[in-house]
Amino acid sequence: MKFKSITGTKDLLPAESHRWQYVEQIFRELAHRYNFKEIRTPVFEHTELFARGIGELTDIVSKEMYRFEDRSGNSLTLKPEMTAAVVRAYLQHNLGQQQPVTKLYYLAPMFRQERPQKGRLRQFHQFGLEIIGTPGAEADAEIIVMTADYYVQLGITNVELRINSVGCEKCRPQYKEKLKEFLQPNLPHLSEDSQRRFETNPLRILDSKDDRDRELTADAPLQKDHLCTECNEHFTHLQEILDEANIEYSVDGKIVRGLDYYTKTAFEFISSALGSQDALSGGGRYDLLAKEIGGKDVPAVGVAGGIERLLLVLEASGTETGEEPHPVVYLAAADNDSRAWLYGITRQLRKHNIPCDTDLMQRSLKAQMREASRQHAQYVIIAGSDERKNNEVVVKNMEVGDQQNVSVDDLVHILQQQLSGEHNATEKSRA
Ligand code: AMP
């Protein structure tokens, strides 16, 4: 074939899409229960939104962005992350004016030109939460607790929460110097990436995946031990709330996150089922971002998690992820003259919320029955000229195998009764 999908992107085929719908639906329902409202922003933004000042130095901005020029010469970028876009929209539309604290959620595709591997794609999808407008550790906790709840609801158990504080503009500069002093003697032995980060973003050296880097930074000073009073109190308060909420976590001074706008809280949810790309989700507080984008000082905190990785974990643990939808009823015509009449009945069933399908290929009755089985229909409705004359159909229960003649006038009612009977029986056997 001449055309194939682009490396690092994936088609979501029908056999899989119900699993996505399942995890998305649980996320939406939970977000609504926590009173988050949905935000959708365009897939592309002005490049400068992501490549601002110090942001230029992160890997995502310097190496991985899908940047292009449109015909007017504007530099545009497919969004590599959502937070900057959400804050841009928040400022542009003055969302803070309507309420002091804005709680937003999203489900959206992101684009990064990374080296594709298991759990790492070039177009991937994230769920995310942002709370904008409050500096309180309560908001950090709300984000973390809902994310933890989400994994519990999905039945993911092998997940670990690690939290840290990366300080603020008051305490981080001194700490950075301390860290650089510590790293300096071993600088030539650090990996190439870490050497490059030494001047620009030395904190990132702490979460390097390189074995030698890890060895050399084993005893490095950590920001969490060098916090100013404000950051320290914030971090302690966050832990108090998490304890009260019965959320398990460990403090890990080496969680620093890839993006550089984080202040105070940084955290990751990690799964042992994921191999080297083990971060299920991550987030933190970003009190400096709104100002960097050109707005006012607005404190905020958020999380973003990969949907593909979530599904990998669910698959690895064999956890149920919803059912592939199938028609409850299949309508089969015994002769060609009855097709149009039968099609009228599909309209009735669909109007009454009964999922059904029918033959669109003028196939024989035998072929239609085969199709009904293939589609796992619970009932097949059969009609030919005799039934049509009497304004009735044959309803065949595919599980039991029995069949009965039913007047078209009673059909919806009878199907609804049978289906609600089955529904109640399933509920009972579950209880
Ligand atoms: P980040 O925005 O880099 O903190 O990523 C947040 C989450 O998004 C990660 O924990 C992953 O679950 C997911 N993620 C990030 N990059 C990728 C990628 N290239 N492919 C798939 N998932 C990703």
Side-chain angles (χ1 to χ4, degrees), residues 60 81 112 114 119-121 124 126 257 259 279-282 304-306 308-309:
I60 293 176
E81 57 114 12
R112 295 182 194 170
E114 296 191 82
R120 209 200 255 178
L121 293 149
F124 60 98
Q126 285 184 336
R257 316 282 303 121
L259 296 158
L280 255 185
S281 57
E308 284 84 354
R309 288 195 196 169

CSV table of all heavy atoms in Angstrom, one decimal, residues 60 81 112 114 119-121 124 126 257 259 279-282 304-306 308-309, ligand 1:
chain,number,residue,atom,x,y,z
A,60,ILE,N,11.5,18.9,25.5
A,60,ILE,CA,10.3,19.0,24.7
A,60,ILE,C,10.3,20.2,23.8
A,60,ILE,O,10.0,20.0,22.6
A,60,ILE,CB,9.0,19.1,25.6
A,60,ILE,CG1,8.9,17.8,26.4
A,60,ILE,CG2,7.8,19.3,24.9
A,60,ILE,CD1,7.8,17.8,27.5
A,81,GLU,N,2.0,19.6,25.1
A,81,GLU,CA,1.4,19.5,26.5
A,81,GLU,C,0.2,20.4,26.6
A,81,GLU,O,0.1,21.4,25.8
A,81,GLU,CB,2.5,19.8,27.5
A,81,GLU,CG,3.1,21.2,27.4
A,81,GLU,CD,2.7,22.1,28.6
A,81,GLU,OE1,2.2,21.5,29.6
A,81,GLU,OE2,2.9,23.3,28.5
A,112,ARG,N,4.6,14.9,20.2
A,112,ARG,CA,6.0,15.1,20.5
A,112,ARG,C,6.8,14.2,19.6
A,112,ARG,O,6.6,13.0,19.5
A,112,ARG,CB,6.4,14.7,22.0
A,112,ARG,CG,5.7,15.6,23.0
A,112,ARG,CD,6.1,15.2,24.4
A,112,ARG,NE,5.2,15.9,25.4
A,112,ARG,CZ,5.1,15.6,26.7
A,112,ARG,NH1,5.9,14.7,27.2
A,112,ARG,NH2,4.3,16.2,27.5
A,114,GLU,N,9.3,12.2,19.6
A,114,GLU,CA,10.3,11.5,20.4
A,114,GLU,C,10.6,10.2,19.7
A,114,GLU,O,10.0,9.8,18.7
A,114,GLU,CB,9.6,11.1,21.7
A,114,GLU,CG,9.3,12.3,22.6
A,114,GLU,CD,8.9,11.8,24.0
A,114,GLU,OE1,9.8,11.6,24.8
A,114,GLU,OE2,7.7,11.7,24.3
A,119,GLY,N,5.1,2.4,24.9
A,119,GLY,CA,4.7,3.5,25.8
A,119,GLY,C,5.1,4.9,25.5
A,119,GLY,O,5.0,5.8,26.3
A,120,ARG,N,5.7,5.0,24.3
A,120,ARG,CA,6.2,6.3,23.9
A,120,ARG,C,5.8,6.6,22.4
A,120,ARG,O,6.4,6.0,21.5
A,120,ARG,CB,7.7,6.5,24.1
A,120,ARG,CG,8.0,7.9,24.4
A,120,ARG,CD,9.5,8.1,24.1
A,120,ARG,NE,10.3,8.2,25.3
A,120,ARG,CZ,11.6,8.4,25.3
A,120,ARG,NH1,12.2,8.4,24.1
A,120,ARG,NH2,12.3,8.5,26.4
A,121,LEU,N,4.9,7.4,22.2
A,121,LEU,CA,4.4,7.7,20.8
A,121,LEU,C,4.6,9.1,20.4
A,121,LEU,O,5.0,10.0,21.3
A,121,LEU,CB,2.9,7.4,20.8
A,121,LEU,CG,2.5,5.9,21.0
A,121,LEU,CD1,1.2,5.8,21.7
A,121,LEU,CD2,2.5,5.2,19.7
A,124,PHE,N,0.1,11.0,21.2
A,124,PHE,CA,-0.4,10.2,22.3
A,124,PHE,C,-1.5,11.1,23.0
A,124,PHE,O,-1.8,12.2,22.6
A,124,PHE,CB,0.7,9.9,23.3
A,124,PHE,CG,1.3,11.1,24.0
A,124,PHE,CD1,1.0,11.5,25.2
A,124,PHE,CD2,2.3,11.7,23.3
A,124,PHE,CE1,1.6,12.6,25.8
A,124,PHE,CE2,3.0,12.8,23.9
A,124,PHE,CZ,2.6,13.3,25.1
A,126,GLN,N,-3.7,12.4,26.5
A,126,GLN,CA,-3.6,12.6,27.9
A,126,GLN,C,-5.0,12.9,28.5
A,126,GLN,O,-5.8,13.6,27.9
A,126,GLN,CB,-2.7,13.8,28.2
A,126,GLN,CG,-1.2,13.5,28.1
A,126,GLN,CD,-0.3,14.6,28.5
A,126,GLN,OE1,-0.7,15.8,28.4
A,126,GLN,NE2,0.9,14.3,28.8
A,257,ARG,N,10.4,16.4,37.3
A,257,ARG,CA,9.6,16.7,36.1
A,257,ARG,C,10.3,17.3,35.0
A,257,ARG,O,11.2,18.0,35.1
A,257,ARG,CB,8.4,17.5,36.5
A,257,ARG,CG,7.7,17.2,37.8
A,257,ARG,CD,6.7,16.0,37.7
A,257,ARG,NE,5.7,16.2,36.6
A,257,ARG,CZ,5.6,15.4,35.6
A,257,ARG,NH1,6.3,14.4,35.3
A,257,ARG,NH2,4.6,15.7,34.7
A,259,LEU,N,9.1,19.4,32.6
A,259,LEU,CA,8.9,20.8,32.2
A,259,LEU,C,9.4,21.7,33.4
A,259,LEU,O,9.4,21.3,34.5
A,259,LEU,CB,7.4,21.1,32.0
A,259,LEU,CG,6.9,20.3,30.8
A,259,LEU,CD1,5.4,20.1,30.8
A,259,LEU,CD2,7.3,21.0,29.5
A,279,ALA,N,6.3,6.1,34.0
A,279,ALA,CA,5.4,7.2,34.6
A,279,ALA,C,4.0,7.1,34.0
A,279,ALA,O,3.8,7.2,32.8
A,279,ALA,CB,6.0,8.5,34.3
A,280,LEU,N,3.0,6.8,34.9
A,280,LEU,CA,1.7,6.7,34.4
A,280,LEU,C,1.1,8.1,34.3
A,280,LEU,O,0.3,8.4,33.4
A,280,LEU,CB,0.8,6.0,35.5
A,280,LEU,CG,0.4,4.6,35.2
A,280,LEU,CD1,-0.5,4.1,36.3
A,280,LEU,CD2,-0.3,4.5,33.9
A,281,SER,N,1.5,9.0,35.2
A,281,SER,CA,1.1,10.4,35.1
A,281,SER,C,2.0,11.2,36.0
A,281,SER,O,2.7,10.7,36.9
A,281,SER,CB,-0.4,10.5,35.6
A,281,SER,OG,-0.5,10.0,36.9
A,282,GLY,N,1.9,12.5,35.8
A,282,GLY,CA,2.8,13.4,36.6
A,282,GLY,C,2.2,14.8,36.6
A,282,GLY,O,1.4,15.1,35.8
A,304,ALA,N,-1.1,15.5,34.4
A,304,ALA,CA,-1.4,14.9,33.1
A,304,ALA,C,-1.0,13.5,33.1
A,304,ALA,O,0.1,13.1,33.6
A,304,ALA,CB,-0.7,15.7,32.0
A,305,GLY,N,-1.8,12.6,32.5
A,305,GLY,CA,-1.5,11.2,32.5
A,305,GLY,C,-1.7,10.6,31.1
A,305,GLY,O,-2.7,11.1,30.4
A,306,GLY,N,-0.9,9.7,30.7
A,306,GLY,CA,-1.1,9.1,29.4
A,306,GLY,C,-2.2,8.0,29.3
A,306,GLY,O,-2.2,7.2,30.2
A,308,GLU,N,-2.6,5.9,26.7
A,308,GLU,CA,-2.0,4.7,26.1
A,308,GLU,C,-1.4,3.9,27.2
A,308,GLU,O,-1.5,2.6,27.3
A,308,GLU,CB,-1.0,5.0,25.0
A,308,GLU,CG,-1.6,5.4,23.7
A,308,GLU,CD,-1.9,6.9,23.6
A,308,GLU,OE1,-1.8,7.6,24.7
A,308,GLU,OE2,-2.3,7.4,22.6
A,309,ARG,N,-0.6,4.6,28.1
A,309,ARG,CA,0.1,3.8,29.2
A,309,ARG,C,-0.9,3.2,30.2
A,309,ARG,O,-0.7,2.1,30.7
A,309,ARG,CB,1.0,4.8,29.9
A,309,ARG,CG,2.2,5.1,29.0
A,309,ARG,CD,3.3,5.7,29.8
A,309,ARG,NE,4.2,6.3,28.8
A,309,ARG,CZ,5.2,7.1,29.1
A,309,ARG,NH1,5.5,7.4,30.4
A,309,ARG,NH2,6.0,7.6,28.2
B,1,AMP,P1,4.6,14.8,30.8
B,1,AMP,O1,3.8,15.8,30.2
B,1,AMP,O2,5.9,14.5,30.0
B,1,AMP,O3,4.8,15.0,32.2
B,1,AMP,O4,3.8,13.4,30.6
B,1,AMP,C1,2.7,13.1,31.4
B,1,AMP,C2,2.3,11.7,31.1
B,1,AMP,O5,1.9,11.6,29.7
B,1,AMP,C3,3.3,10.7,31.2
B,1,AMP,O6,3.4,10.2,32.6
B,1,AMP,C4,2.9,9.6,30.3
B,1,AMP,O7,1.9,8.8,30.9
B,1,AMP,C5,2.3,10.4,29.1
B,1,AMP,N1,3.3,10.6,28.1
B,1,AMP,C6,4.2,11.5,28.0
B,1,AMP,N2,4.9,11.4,26.8
B,1,AMP,C7,4.4,10.4,26.1
B,1,AMP,C8,4.6,9.8,24.9
B,1,AMP,N3,5.6,10.2,24.0
B,1,AMP,N4,3.9,8.7,24.5
B,1,AMP,C9,2.9,8.2,25.3
B,1,AMP,N5,2.6,8.8,26.5
B,1,AMP,C10,3.3,9.8,26.9
